[in-house]
Amino acid sequence: MPVKKLAGLAFALALVYSISLPARAELFKNFKTDGSIETRSLSIDNSTDRNGSHDDYRAETNYRIMIGGSFDLLDDVHARLLLNKNTNQGSGTGSIETVEASTFFQNAYFKVDKVFNAVDLTVGRQFYGDSNDLVIYFGPQNDDILSVTSLDAFRADADIMGWAKFMGIVGKIADNGAQTSTLAEPNAANSNSDTDVWGGEVNTDKLIPAGNLAAYYYTAQTKKEANAVLGNNTLNVYGLRAAGDIKPVGGLAYNAEIIQDGGRNNGAASGTNPGYGGTAYSIGGSYGHDVANMPVRAKLEYARGSHDFTAIAPGRRYGIIWGEYTNNAFDVSNLNGVGGAGLSNLKVFDGGVGVNPIAKLGIDLNAYRFRYSASASNKTSAGTEYDLILSWKHSDNVSFDVNAATFQVGDANQNAAGTPTSPITQLGADIKIKY
């Protein structure tokens, strides 16, 4: 029996066993289930050709279903399994085999408390980081297809004498096994093309009043053989991040981050610069307060990544059209080598205001100005996006969103002379249920 099928059967049996025989469920002590059901519906036009006279309109609904279980193996050893299934409306009912083939374990790990009386050790497939992180994030993605990423890793979390906290990982993004050398004898050798990642973060709330300061360092290394050169592609990313409240003004907060690339791609093509030297930074502020018994919020942010800035697996996405549509080479944020997540070759100024006129209803208007840090055509205006979002909080665990977005195409992404350029437009709706 395949390992995946066996693991899935074990998970199902554990769930049934813990419900039907609670008095004998010591193997899965304190078993708890959780998960979510999400839908993302969209109707978008001009997203790939930016030309209103051609028909590239599309409408679709995507689903993301996650069901998880957490339980204690021992008093100090805990485990978690999380199954994920993504599907597209209209793709058919599917057989047991096809459903099984498209259902994945995104979490499968155990955690040991206080190794050496100091370190919580987590081993296995897991999520890591925050979805707004500019450098590294593995987890549910806020894209149009509701994709999910995860990392196979050893993770350590520790308290440093009550003064700071540490979290670090050593893991693998991809394991491609041994690769046969293309070099002639006597230089022939087998290598692998795995992608490994390691690094960590130290953060403290003891240095900045009402704030937190973090320093981090991560490395992603692809073992590779390319262009008749045996050499690894090693990307180092390190940075500082600060965030906190500005106490004299209630509800006012700030955030700032600076990032530096390092390392070297020793397998780069001849004649190219093998070094990583890109930089990025972000600075912003936000405000949230009740005005006339209505929650009011506002934000301003400026962020910039140099043309050669590279991140490991950024989570931060700016805007609905720019940030969510990244799975097609012709999506607007994939032009000029940028990509919808992160800050590679990008300058972005964004602001937004929001209000809850009644407790359950939220109204938010966000604007984004995108420019390239560099462009072969010397045109750097990527475009401007406006997003209107209406949200309804049905309950603590059920929410509904509808949105309307438009992207005004900048001169760097205009169609060639003689071909008209039209704005990209979208209407969308999201449903999220947590349990």
Side-chain angles (χ1 to χ4, degrees):
M1 180 180 289
V3 173
K4 188 169 118 178
K5 183 179 290 187
L6 182 61
L9 179 60
F11 187 33
L13 289 175
L15 179 59
V16 173
Y17 186 71
S18 64
I19 294 173
S20 61
L21 298 172
R24 300 181 57 196
E26 288 302 314
L27 178 60
F28 298 99
K29 189 164 120 180
N30 297 323
F31 187 89
K32 296 178 181 178
T33 60
D34 62 86
S36 63
I37 302 171
E38 298 170 76
T39 72
R40 175 152 291 174
S41 302
L42 58 99
S43 171
I44 190 167
D45 196 17
N46 302 325
S47 63
T48 59
D49 62 16
R50 303 172 300 287
N51 185 349
S53 63
H54 290 177
D55 184 12
D56 70 342
Y57 167 84
R58 65 187 175 97
E60 62 187 43
T61 295
N62 295 301
Y63 300 91
R64 177 166 63 199
I65 301 170
M66 296 191 290
I67 177 170
S70 302
F71 49 94
D72 296 337
L73 294 174
L74 299 169
D75 289 341
D76 57 352
V77 180
H78 320 286
R80 176 167 176 76
L81 297 171
L82 177 72
L83 283 169
N84 161 233
K85 173 74 170 71
N86 283 63
T87 190
N88 177 272
Q89 192 174 75
S91 58
T93 55
S95 63
I96 293 176
E97 289 77 11
T98 58
V99 170
E100 179 196 11
S102 59
T103 302
F104 304 97
F105 277 101
Q106 299 291 359
N107 285 176
Y109 64 78
F110 64 87
K111 178 181 178 183
V112 183
D113 296 335
K114 296 298 178 284
V115 179
F116 307 121
N117 295 318
V119 177
D120 292 335
L121 179 65
T122 305
V123 181
R125 174 155 290 205
Q126 56 195 280
F127 296 151
Y128 184 78
D130 183 89
S131 60
N132 284 319
D133 200 290
L134 292 168
V135 175
I136 184 169
Y137 168 67
F138 295 92
Q141 300 291 323
N142 187 31
D143 57 11
D144 58 330
I145 60 173
L146 297 174
S147 61
V148 182
T149 60
S150 54
L151 179 68
D152 295 312
F154 293 83
R155 171 174 173 165
D157 292 85
D159 181 85
I160 305 174
M161 298 182 292
W163 182 83
K165 293 182 179 179
F166 167 81
M167 62 178 184
I169 54 170
V170 177
K172 193 176 291 290
I173 298 174
D175 186 345
N176 297 318
Q179 307 295 307
T180 302
S181 174
T182 59
L183 300 181
E185 296 290 354
N187 298 313
N190 286 335
S191 63
N192 67 62
S193 56
D194 295 354
T195 300
D196 300 327
V197 61
W198 64 88
E201 172 183 308
V202 175
N203 67 79
T204 178
D205 57 7
K206 307 299 183 183
L207 296 178
I208 303 176
N212 184 276
L213 179 65
Y216 57 83
Y217 173 90
Y218 292 98
T219 291
Q221 183 178 82
T222 300
K223 316 281 189 181
K224 76 174 202 172
E225 176 184 346
N227 305 304
V229 175
L230 287 173
N232 294 332
N233 180 356
T234 303
L235 169 65
N236 304 321
V237 186
Y238 45 96
L240 291 172
R241 181 176 61 245
D245 298 324
I246 301 175
K247 282 298 185 180
V249 182
L252 188 62
Y254 68 90
N255 62 82
E257 186 168 2
I258 185 168
I259 311 167
Q260 174 69 56
D261 283 344
R264 186 177 178 87
N265 183 0
N266 288 319
S270 177
T272 62
N273 182 2
Y276 287 108
T279 61
Y281 64 85
S282 172
I283 184 168
S286 61
Y287 176 78
H289 202 67
D290 284 357
V291 177
N293 295 321
M294 291 190 302
V296 174
R297 54 197 166 270
K299 65 174 183 176
L300 281 174
E301 180 183 22
Y302 177 74
R304 178 188 183 276
S306 63
H307 74 280
D308 54 350
F309 174 68
T310 305
I312 293 172
R316 180 66 189 274
R317 297 171 183 269
Y318 297 93
I320 293 174
I321 293 174
W322 180 275
E324 293 183 8
Y325 296 94
T326 63
N327 298 291
N328 184 299
F330 298 102
D331 287 331
V332 66
S333 61
N334 284 338
L335 304 178
N336 289 280
V338 178
L343 278 175
S344 176
N345 191 26
L346 182 65
K347 302 174 185 177
V348 57
F349 178 78
D350 70 89
V353 294
V355 63
N356 283 65
I358 58 177
K360 292 188 175 183
L361 176 64
I363 304 173
D364 290 89
L365 178 63
N366 301 315
Y368 304 85
R369 181 73 175 105
F370 299 103
R371 299 190 71 89
Y372 299 120
S373 297
S375 172
S377 67
N378 293 321
K379 296 178 180 180
T380 59
S381 175
T384 303
E385 179 171 340
Y386 303 97
D387 300 340
L388 175 64
I389 304 169
L390 305 180
S391 57
W392 181 261
K393 187 177 180 180
H394 176 76
S395 64
D396 288 342
N397 295 316
V398 181
S399 62
F400 303 87
D401 291 350
V402 294
N403 62 73
T406 179
F407 188 93
Q408 307 297 312
V409 181
D411 61 4
N413 293 322
Q414 297 277 326
N415 288 320
T419 302
T421 300
S422 306
I424 303 169
T425 57
Q426 179 198 280
L427 294 175
D430 296 342
I431 303 172
K432 185 168 185 178
I433 302 170
K434 297 186 295 183
Y435 56 89

